Amino acid sequence: MLIIKESDVKKLISLNEVIDINEQVFIKESKEEVVCPERTILPVEKVQPQQEQNSNESQKKKQIVGNLYFKPSLIVDESVGIKIVGTFANNANKGLPTVPATIILNDIETGLANAVIGATYITGARTAAGSAISVKYLATESPETIFVFGSSLQAQLHIEMILLLKPTIKKVFISSRTKENVDKLIIQLKNENNYNGADGGKAVEFNYCGGDDKDTTNRHLLESDIIVTATSSNEPLFNGQEVLSEKVRDFKKKPLLICAVGSSRPTNRELDSFTISNSNLIVDDVNSCMVSGELFIPINKENIITKSHILGRLSDVISGKYKHTTNSKSITVYKSSGTAIQDVATAYYIYKKALQNNIGYNININD
């Protein structure tokens, strides 16, 4: 069994390769050459003794410290495995990833474990690749401006991959609660990608957009051709009626694509019900997205849309089963809650590259 550290993963795969691998696995999904069961979510509880007032007796109180998601997948005649990914907000205080992930790959013939791979970067990369593919097929042909909510690795990878596929983009707005985080991200983006325009590099203007100035944020949202939401927010990031209604935006002249990737639980959502109900809605995985707040709330709590509001999966878009059109009354939303076919396909490619380059640690656990 090969163990591949998180620090080696990024060395083994380029952004272009991530995009290509993920597009290919969505094509396989359209041909029914994958198996992807529903994920299992396990809340991780910690029992904390609490002292009752005016009593010497202690009571046990359960506190959820995080969640673990178990996501298996089979790519027919290629690979099989499972990703175990967690959401542990307090990890930030410990200098650890808040979304730690590990992928186990098994041999397609014997079922024995082939590899254990640190998958935090893979999770970010495959998610951004899905959004970049949606941009390729669903966004306007020559977008010039994107607006990104978030300043984490997920935001960085979204910006880098979208700019790879859409070189017409000249301006990027980044919104985050902490300006310092955005400043660091902008420096990193420029240093690692030569977005300064020097020596033949691409000239891109990056702007911080945050704080309590809602009018400025709304103005930049109206200006944008693509909006990415990559946050851990529990509440909608903007009011859809203020920036996305046909009264303030002509979708025939300026089509809009929103890539919403941050929420995966019924109580979390980055987009409000107006935005979802007035959109052409495409998802990566129907079952996963149905339990995200973007769909769970308007379907199960507000009863303003049904499951049929989902027009198709991203694999349907790529295969041509779903024919995308824009109209004057709606926007297009690509909602991603994560699908394990992307994880396993990306991890398998990294595993093969690691073998070719003699990277990783071999351990025989079957002795």
Side-chain angles (χ1 to χ4, degrees):
M1 181 179 70
L2 188 65
I3 297 177
I4 305 173
K5 297 189 304 179
E6 190 74 55
S7 57
D8 287 328
V9 168
K10 190 175 180 180
K11 303 173 187 176
L12 291 166
I13 193 166
S14 69
L15 298 184
N16 278 316
E17 287 172 321
V18 178
I19 294 170
D20 182 63
I21 292 158
N22 282 271
E23 185 168 6
Q24 292 305 313
V25 80
F26 279 121
I27 291 172
K28 289 182 179 182
E29 182 181 43
S30 72
K31 297 177 181 178
E32 299 185 352
E33 295 176 0
V34 305
V35 179
C36 191
E38 286 191 49
R39 65 189 180 179
T40 297
I41 305 175
L42 178 65
V44 180
E45 296 179 340
K46 183 178 181 181
V47 177
Q48 292 186 334
Q50 282 202 335
Q51 196 75 22
E52 271 195 7
Q53 192 174 5
N54 301 323
S55 172
N56 293 324
E57 296 182 3
S58 63
Q59 289 188 335
K60 292 181 178 179
K61 182 178 181 181
K62 293 181 179 179
Q63 177 188 13
I64 295 178
V65 296
N67 294 281
L68 285 174
Y69 300 73
F70 297 84
K71 307 173 71 171
S73 180
L74 166 70
I75 316 298
V76 175
D77 293 332
E78 180 183 293
S79 56
V80 61
I82 184 169
K83 183 173 81 168
I84 304 170
V85 59
T87 53
F88 290 80
N90 288 336
N91 279 7
N93 301 324
K94 304 172 184 177
L96 298 171
T98 56
V99 188
T102 305
I103 293 176
I104 302 172
L105 295 179
N106 299 84
D107 186 88
I108 201 80
E109 299 289 340
T110 67
L112 295 175
N114 272 344
V116 176
I117 305 172
T120 301
Y121 179 80
I122 291 175
T123 299
R126 64 85 155 133
T127 303
S131 294
I133 295 164
S134 78
V135 167
K136 176 180 177 180
Y137 288 92
L138 299 172
T140 185
E141 184 67 27
S142 301
E144 296 182 355
T145 304
I146 64 175
F147 192 111
V148 179
F149 286 95
S151 57
S152 65
L153 173 65
Q154 193 66 264
Q156 176 185 346
L157 290 169
H158 270 78
I159 292 168
E160 290 173 335
M161 290 195 193
I162 291 172
L163 288 177
L164 269 178
L165 294 186
K166 292 295 184 179
T168 55
I169 293 172
K170 302 289 192 299
K171 190 180 297 185
V172 179
F173 293 103
I174 305 174
S175 178
S176 178
R177 287 172 293 185
T178 308
K179 184 177 185 299
E180 182 183 357
N181 291 343
V182 175
D183 291 339
K184 289 179 180 178
L185 174 58
I186 291 173
I187 291 171
Q188 189 170 358
L189 285 165
K190 290 182 176 180
N191 289 342
E192 294 182 5
N193 299 278
N194 191 20
Y195 290 142
N196 295 307
D199 301 321
K202 178 180 174 61
V204 181
E205 177 187 336
F206 294 94
N207 299 277
Y208 168 71
C209 184
D212 298 323
D213 190 352
K214 188 175 71 170
D215 291 340
T216 299
T217 297
N218 286 351
R219 186 172 69 252
H220 293 322
L221 287 169
L222 282 169
E223 183 184 346
S224 300
D225 303 293
I226 300 165
I227 298 171
V228 174
T229 61
T231 74
S232 58
S233 177
N234 291 325
E235 301 295 332
L237 296 167
F238 58 87
N239 185 320
Q241 286 184 300
E242 293 180 354
V243 295
L244 300 178
S245 75
E246 59 182 337
K247 295 179 180 179
V248 295
R249 184 177 182 123
D250 186 342
F251 289 96
K252 286 184 177 179
K253 293 182 179 179
K254 199 171 184 62
L256 174 67
L257 172 66
I258 301 177
C259 301
V261 304
S263 67
S264 59
R265 296 299 303 270
T267 55
N268 301 74
R269 61 173 176 168
E270 299 175 298
L271 304 180
D272 62 17
S273 296
F274 176 90
T275 302
I276 292 294
S277 62
N278 285 277
S279 70
N280 300 309
L281 182 60
I282 300 297
V283 300
D284 58 351
D285 179 81
V286 174
N287 291 328
S288 295
C289 288
M290 282 294 291
V291 295
S292 69
E294 276 86 3
L295 275 69
F296 185 86
I297 293 172
I299 291 175
N300 297 289
K301 289 190 173 183
E302 299 171 343
N303 297 312
I304 59 174
I305 59 171
T306 64
K307 185 178 179 179
S308 63
H309 189 68
I310 300 173
L311 298 180
R313 302 169 301 175
L314 186 57
S315 58
D316 299 323
V317 174
I318 297 170
S319 67
K321 182 178 178 181
Y322 167 74
K323 303 294 184 182
H324 177 65
T325 59
T326 57
N327 58 63
S328 61
K329 294 184 179 180
S330 64
I331 59 177
T332 302
V333 169
Y334 167 65
K335 172 59 192 166
S336 170
S337 288
T339 170
I341 63 172
Q342 292 183 266
D343 297 308
V344 171
T346 306
Y348 182 65
Y349 180 87
I350 289 169
Y351 168 65
K352 291 190 296 180
K353 286 284 289 290
L355 290 176
Q356 293 168 5
N357 292 277
N358 196 29
I359 292 176
Y361 303 88
N362 265 306
I363 298 176
N364 188 348
I365 64 171
N366 298 303
D367 278 348

